[in-house]
Amino acid sequence: MRITLRLPADLHEWLASQAKSARRSLNSEILHRLEVGRGNHSADDQSPWRRLLFPCPAPQVSDSSPA
């Protein structure tokens, strides 16, 4: 789906800067922030780049120490 979104210039600049820092497109940054905002805290795990670079799930670390 396509939409037209009007943003204040300062918000656009800030989002573009955040996207560049995270190596995302502006569109991907906005989508990421919307996903996190709606409670999908695994949004980074769903990134196409993450899936490409890290195709296997991260190993689970146990909190228990060897006795």
Side-chain angles (χ1 to χ4, degrees), residues 44-60:
D44 274 337
D45 294 336
Q46 302 305 315
S47 161
W49 285 109
R50 184 176 243 333
R51 287 193 307 263
L52 178 65
L53 296 173
F54 306 103
C56 300
Q60 297 297 318

